[in-house]
Amino acid sequence: MAMETGLIVHPYMRPEHTSRQTFDWCVEQAIVADQIGFDSVMYSEHSSQRWENIPAPELVIAAAARQTERIKFAPMAHILPHHNPAKLAVMIGWLSQILEGRYFLGVGAGAYPQSTYIHGIKNGEDTEFTNKMVRESLEIMEKIWKRDPFFYEGQFWNAGYPEELHGDEGDDQHMLADFSPWGGAPEIAVTGFSAKSPSMKFAGERGFRPMSIFSGLDALKTHWETYSTAAEANGHVADRSRYHVSQTVFVADTDKEAKRLVMEGPIGHCFERYLIPIWWRFGMMDGFIKDAGAHKSDVNLEWIVDNVFCVGSPDTVVEKIGTLFEASGGWGTLQVESHDYSEDPAPWFNSLELIAKEVAPRISLPTPVSV
């Protein structure tokens, strides 16, 4: 089966752009992605970062869904420690009903302690603590979606679901609204970031859809090993066709033109001002340096474009992704990292079209796809 294509929109907007400009660019990308054949678009949720500034992905999803036909949407991810789980469960259920099968749910614990602090949690750097919150939140949401009476008193939240009363014939005043997700329960996805990500184990235990933020081959291999081991131990099939990997990809007619558009354009600007420091801070750069057999002193924007990104003509990008597939075992969906081409979108949309029509159809998962 051919590799599917998706977008992940963080959205890496220049800080001088307004919230309205950010919102419009997020929606516009979904419309174009739908038209050219992308399979999915994910919107991140952040409430502290100037470059990653979508605090309510459900608003973007609702707006974009009205202007698209077939593409699927996901928040990637709702940061569960930041939400009242009962309120979130109702919103998710309603939105999935509105999208009628074009919705899946991403959940996470959050990567930025500043954002967690905004939501009243002082120890946001304690991932064991925030992951406990994720598990409790999800337990509450799943109970609400079942619509059976309960009252839950947990470590972090209390919530319940009332018993539905029944009146006389023709008396509907006691009926409860059904905000359970479309199809009964949402498909749930979980993102892994660090090499020893506890999220990948959690995804495997629950049979959720796994997604890796690419941070080097070792991390990619460890993510799949962790996920597949946990999945099999809990009676789930570890199916690579459900596996998403996010990566920076840019395609143009020639290698030279693609590299120029990245180096001199929004991707290069974002990395120099924001993402290169982030990659050093979170330890991602170490994995890339190891893959290339390089030294820290070698690292600059051009080195990253040449050694980490998948940038070039369609033939070159097919070759680069094929090399990653051979080394890692492959994945089902390439989730392309979105960038702020809002002021001149033509090169970005051309790249997405080349990815959808000239790159992805030439890349297939090895068989069997499950282990």
Side-chain angles (χ1 to χ4, degrees), residues 133-150:
M133 297 185 76
V134 167
R135 290 174 182 266
E136 182 174 304
S137 174
L138 194 57
E139 181 180 356
I140 290 170
M141 290 197 292
E142 290 175 328
K143 286 177 177 291
I144 289 172
W145 292 332
K146 290 179 181 179
R147 305 184 73 237
D148 294 328
F150 78 94

Side-chain angles (χ1 to χ4, degrees), residues 44-306:
S44 295
E45 177 184 291
H46 298 99
S47 54
S48 64
Q49 305 302 108
R50 285 293 297 274
W51 284 81
E52 302 176 67
N53 55 345
I54 304 174
E58 65 274 14
L59 300 183
V60 184
I61 291 171
R66 292 294 302 273
Q67 301 179 68
T68 53
E69 298 293 333
R70 41 161 298 281
I71 198 165
K72 293 186 176 182
F73 294 90
M76 201 65 199
H78 280 313
I79 308 304
L80 298 191
H82 301 176
H83 294 276
N84 178 288
K87 184 175 179 60
L88 188 62
V90 170
M91 185 277 289
I92 288 167
W94 191 46
L95 185 57
S96 72
Q97 290 181 21
I98 293 167
L99 268 67
E100 297 183 332
R102 292 199 293 140
Y103 178 93
F104 60 103
L105 170 64
V107 299
Y112 296 111
Q114 302 98 317
S115 184
T116 302
Y117 191 88
I118 288 171
H119 290 85
I121 303 167
K122 291 184 177 180
N123 54 335
E125 295 183 358
D126 184 348
T127 57
E128 182 178 350
F129 180 82
T130 54
N131 276 285
K132 284 181 180 179
M133 297 185 76
V134 167
R135 290 174 182 266
E136 182 174 304
S137 174
L138 194 57
E139 181 180 356
I140 290 170
M141 290 197 292
E142 290 175 328
K143 286 177 177 291
I144 289 172
W145 292 332
K146 290 179 181 179
R147 305 184 73 237
D148 294 328
F150 78 94
F151 193 84
Y152 178 96
E153 297 181 84
Q155 181 180 354
F156 307 107
W157 298 281
N158 296 343
Y161 197 85
E163 184 175 357
E164 187 168 23
L165 304 177
H166 299 280
D168 297 332
E169 183 71 25
D171 180 359
D172 293 344
Q173 65 176 305
H174 301 294
M175 292 180 67
L176 297 176
D178 183 355
F179 293 126
S180 56
W182 180 265
E187 171 90 5
I188 296 177
V190 177
T191 298
F193 181 70
S194 62
K196 296 180 180 180
S197 171
S199 298
M200 299 306 286
K201 181 180 179 183
F202 178 50
E205 290 171 351
R206 296 297 307 274
F208 294 158
R209 187 185 301 194
M211 176 173 158
S212 293
I213 296 175
F214 181 65
S215 54
L217 277 172
D218 282 354
L220 207 59
K221 293 175 183 177
T222 301
H223 281 184
W224 182 256
E225 181 181 346
T226 300
Y227 172 80
S228 59
T229 299
E232 292 167 6
N234 288 273
H236 305 295
V237 175
D239 182 353
R240 284 188 180 270
S241 69
R242 298 177 67 218
Y243 187 23
H244 297 241
V245 172
S246 72
Q247 169 66 303
T248 301
V249 184
F250 192 93
V251 185
D253 292 337
T254 67
D255 291 350
K256 183 178 180 180
E257 181 67 359
K259 184 173 179 177
R260 182 188 70 80
L261 288 167
V262 169
M263 292 280 294
E264 299 177 6
I267 295 176
H269 181 74
C270 175
F271 270 84
E272 288 189 317
R273 297 292 296 272
Y274 181 66
L275 283 175
I276 288 177
I278 288 282
W279 280 14
W280 283 117
R281 173 181 162 191
F282 283 99
M284 295 172 67
M285 203 70 78
D286 296 335
F288 301 135
I289 291 170
K290 181 179 179 181
D291 287 348
H295 300 281
K296 288 184 177 182
S297 59
D298 297 327
V299 175
N300 57 27
L301 177 61
E302 186 171 15
W303 183 89
I304 292 170
V305 173
D306 291 340

Side-chain angles (χ1 to χ4, degrees), residues 10-72:
H10 294 298
Y12 297 144
M13 294 294 287
R14 292 173 182 253
E16 62 266 26
H17 284 161
T18 67
S19 294
R20 177 59 182 267
Q21 289 172 320
T22 297
F23 189 91
D24 288 347
W25 177 235
C26 291
V27 172
E28 184 181 359
Q29 288 185 87
I31 294 170
V32 173
D34 183 58
Q35 293 169 347
I36 63 178
F38 267 55
D39 299 283
S40 62
V41 57
M42 301 173 171
Y43 295 102
S44 295
E45 177 184 291
H46 298 99
S47 54
S48 64
Q49 305 302 108
R50 285 293 297 274
W51 284 81
E52 302 176 67
N53 55 345
I54 304 174
E58 65 274 14
L59 300 183
V60 184
I61 291 171
R66 292 294 302 273
Q67 301 179 68
T68 53
E69 298 293 333
R70 41 161 298 281
I71 198 165
K72 293 186 176 182

